[in-house]
């Protein structure tokens, strides 16, 4: 797999218009299963074809149970300067429901260990709205996060996916289904609590202390170009082309070993780009750049957009501030519905 990743980097070395990278993200699965030497070798491969911005953010997604002392000691000697830890919860009942390999003690200890080895830029994932939780437990999860001095939090409502153990348990009546009213209450408590503790709520599911917003994810939300390497990885050229790699590991390796790209590509229409810009931008605190949007779309589509936003502007579901269209934070839980009402649908 590592050899195939290096080959794909070589095959796609000319795809990015800007060859000076501001972020490099190892994620989309469990990259912390690789050895530190393997991770370093991938960084070295990237450096053969790209340069690094002096303030580059290099992130490793990791499970708490992978972050033992030896791994972190070696990782601290590499260019990695940010960790995204899949904590999910500091309560065992939640972790067992989510079928996580780590326990509450490991969740806390992994963060402390990472800090002991010099990693200050740490993000953790937290899940709210679990049937095994309630508002009091959720408050304790957030208090623990503050006590641990974690500067970035990505937090998502628990969702029940088809063909999962959780879905089966709910169907069998072994576990209660998540309640949307509880999830709403926990979301709004979280936003107020974290803001009082110095966090900026800059995307619906993301909170960061000043200077600790995710550079990588912010590039997605600002509709910039990015290159994804590996099975299932997605790429976007910043204009009208999106591609994605095959999901199957073996198929990916076999294809790349033949000096071929294991990807499919689609060309986005003007209307596709318009819909995506609204869908992504309205999830953020800065919103949609109206000057940039007007440059990207036709006068006819711009007129449609101007007409369709009026009712929501008047009702307060949308607002315009410094040439940006955005959703007031109190309405962020409705963001997907608000954005879809503005879509152009043939």
């Amino acid at each position: 797999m590592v050899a195939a990743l290096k080959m794909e980097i070589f095959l796609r070395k000319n795809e990015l218009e800007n060859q000076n990278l501001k972020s490099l993200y190892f994620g989309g699965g469990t990259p912390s299963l690789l050895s530190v030497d393997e991770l370093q070798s991938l960084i070295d491969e990237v450096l053969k074809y790209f340069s690094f911005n002096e303030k580059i953010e290099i992130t490793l997604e990791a499970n708490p149970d992978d972050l033992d002392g030896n791994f972190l000691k070696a990782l601290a000697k590499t260019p990695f300067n940010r960790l995204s830890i899949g904590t999910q919860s500091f309560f065992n009942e939640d972790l067992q429901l989510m079928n996580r390999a780590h326990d509450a003690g490991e969740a806390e200890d992994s963060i402390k260990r990472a800090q002991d080895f010099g990693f200050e830029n740490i993000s953790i994932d937290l899940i709210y709205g679990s049937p095994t939780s309630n508002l009091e437990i959720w408050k304790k999860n957030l208090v623990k996060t503050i006590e641990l001095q974690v500067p970035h939090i990505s937090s998502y409502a628990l969702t029940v996916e088809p063909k999962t153990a959780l879905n089966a348990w709910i169907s069998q009546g072994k576990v209660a289904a998540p309640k949307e009213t509880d999830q709403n209450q926990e979301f709004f408590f979280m936003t107020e609590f974290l803001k009082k503790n110095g966090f900026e709520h800059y995307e619906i599911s993301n909170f960061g202390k000043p200077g600790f917003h995710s550079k990588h994810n912010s590039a997605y939300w600002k509709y910039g170009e990015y290159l994804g390497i590996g099975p299932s990885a997605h790429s976007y050229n910043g204009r009208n082309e999106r591609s994605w790699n095959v999901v199957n590991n073996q198929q990916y390796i076999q294809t790349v070993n033949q000096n071929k790209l294991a990807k499919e590509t689609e060309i986005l229409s003007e209307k596709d780009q318009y819909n995506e810009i609204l869908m992504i931008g309205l999830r953020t605190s800065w919103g949609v750049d109206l000057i940039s949007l007007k440059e990207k779309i036709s006068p006819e589509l711009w007129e449609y957009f101007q007409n369709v936003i009026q009712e929501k502007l008047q009702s307060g579901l949308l607002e315009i501030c410094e040439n940006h269209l955005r959703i007031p934070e109190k309405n962020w839980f409705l963001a997907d519905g608000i954005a879809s009402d503005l879509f152009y649908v043939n």
Side-chain angles (χ1 to χ4, degrees):
M1 176 59 76
V2 172
L5 293 172
K6 291 179 180 180
M7 177 56 74
E8 188 187 3
I9 293 168
F10 167 73
L11 293 172
R12 306 184 69 180
K13 63 184 185 296
N14 296 318
E15 284 192 27
L16 285 180
E17 190 171 311
N18 185 354
Q19 299 276 304
N20 182 250
L21 304 185
K22 295 180 179 178
S23 72
L24 183 61
Y25 195 100
F26 288 68
T30 318
S32 54
L33 285 174
L34 294 176
S35 71
V36 174
D37 285 345
E38 288 168 330
L39 292 167
Q40 177 65 62
S41 75
L42 289 169
I43 290 178
D44 292 341
E45 193 69 21
V46 172
L47 278 169
K48 289 181 182 178
Y49 315 108
F50 301 91
S51 61
F52 285 175
N53 183 282
E54 61 179 13
K55 295 182 179 179
I56 189 171
E57 174 188 274
I58 305 181
T59 304
L60 177 70
E61 275 189 5
N63 288 326
D65 40 305
D66 291 332
L67 296 177
D68 62 36
N70 290 332
F71 182 87
L72 286 165
K73 182 179 180 180
L75 193 70
K77 298 175 182 177
T78 72
F80 283 97
N81 54 20
R82 185 174 185 270
L83 291 175
S84 177
I85 304 176
T87 305
Q88 315 305 354
S89 175
F90 295 104
F91 286 85
N92 284 326
E93 292 81 4
D94 291 340
L95 295 170
Q96 288 163 7
L97 181 78
M98 298 173 207
N99 199 29
R100 303 296 296 181
H102 65 277
D103 61 27
E106 286 177 305
E108 183 174 345
D109 290 345
S110 66
I111 296 167
K112 291 178 177 177
R113 265 197 305 274
Q115 292 168 331
D116 288 343
F117 281 102
F119 289 97
E120 296 179 359
N121 195 350
I122 295 174
S123 176
I124 66 170
D125 291 344
L126 290 177
I127 302 293
Y128 61 90
S130 165
T132 50
S133 185
N134 55 43
L135 184 57
E136 285 307 308
I137 291 175
W138 180 232
K139 288 179 181 179
K140 291 177 181 178
N141 264 314
L142 295 172
V143 168
K144 175 63 70 176
T145 302
I146 299 301
E147 290 174 351
L148 290 169
Q149 298 183 311
V150 172
H152 189 278
I153 298 164
S154 296
S155 189
Y156 308 94
L158 181 72
T159 55
V160 183
E161 301 293 341
K163 299 180 182 178
T164 60
L166 179 56
N167 187 50
W169 294 337
I170 291 172
S171 300
Q172 295 161 11
K174 295 179 179 179
V175 175
K179 294 180 181 178
E180 187 175 342
T181 53
D182 291 346
Q183 293 185 336
N184 287 358
Q185 184 184 31
E186 291 175 16
F187 173 80
F188 286 115
F189 174 81
M190 168 177 61
T191 59
E192 292 306 311
F193 178 82
L194 291 178
K195 283 194 293 183
K196 287 176 183 175
N197 283 277
F199 284 81
E200 296 169 338
H201 190 189
Y202 70 104
E203 193 269 348
I204 289 178
S205 301
N206 285 270
F207 304 79
K209 292 282 185 75
F212 287 95
H213 295 190
S214 169
K215 292 182 182 179
H216 194 84
N217 289 339
S218 293
Y220 296 149
W221 300 325
K222 292 178 179 176
Y223 220 56
E225 65 169 347
Y226 52 89
L227 178 61
I229 301 295
S232 301
H234 283 60
S235 302
Y236 174 61
N237 71 352
R239 296 180 298 281
N240 66 342
E241 184 178 298
R242 186 180 311 289
S243 66
W244 57 94
N245 287 346
V246 296
V247 174
N248 183 275
N249 286 359
Q250 200 58 42
Q251 184 184 351
Y252 167 81
I253 292 170
Q254 290 173 351
T255 304
V256 172
N257 282 344
Q258 297 169 18
N259 289 345
K260 299 177 183 176
L261 293 178
K263 68 169 184 170
E264 295 182 43
T265 301
E266 68 172 335
I267 302 300
L268 301 173
S269 69
E270 175 199 44
K271 296 178 181 67
D272 290 334
Q273 293 175 70
Y274 162 82
N275 289 343
E276 285 193 5
I277 289 169
L278 292 178
M279 179 178 68
I280 297 168
L282 289 177
R283 292 180 58 88
T284 67
S285 60
W286 53 84
V288 175
D289 184 331
L290 295 178
I291 295 173
S292 175
L293 178 65
K294 188 175 183 179
E295 291 173 350
K296 285 180 179 288
I297 61 178
S298 66
E300 293 77 17
L301 190 51
W302 177 253
E303 183 179 356
Y304 168 84
F305 167 72
Q306 291 283 80
N307 289 331
V308 80
I309 64 175
Q310 292 307 316
E311 182 182 336
K312 287 182 168 49
L313 286 172
Q314 291 167 12
S315 67
L317 289 174
L318 288 171
E319 63 183 10
I320 294 177
C321 183
E322 297 179 351
N323 282 316
H324 282 73
L325 179 74
R326 63 189 191 189
I327 299 174
E329 188 183 19
K330 64 182 180 180
N331 298 323
W332 274 15
F333 216 77
L334 306 172
D336 289 346
I338 293 171
S340 65
D341 287 345
L342 308 182
F343 289 172
Y344 188 96
V345 182
N346 288 331

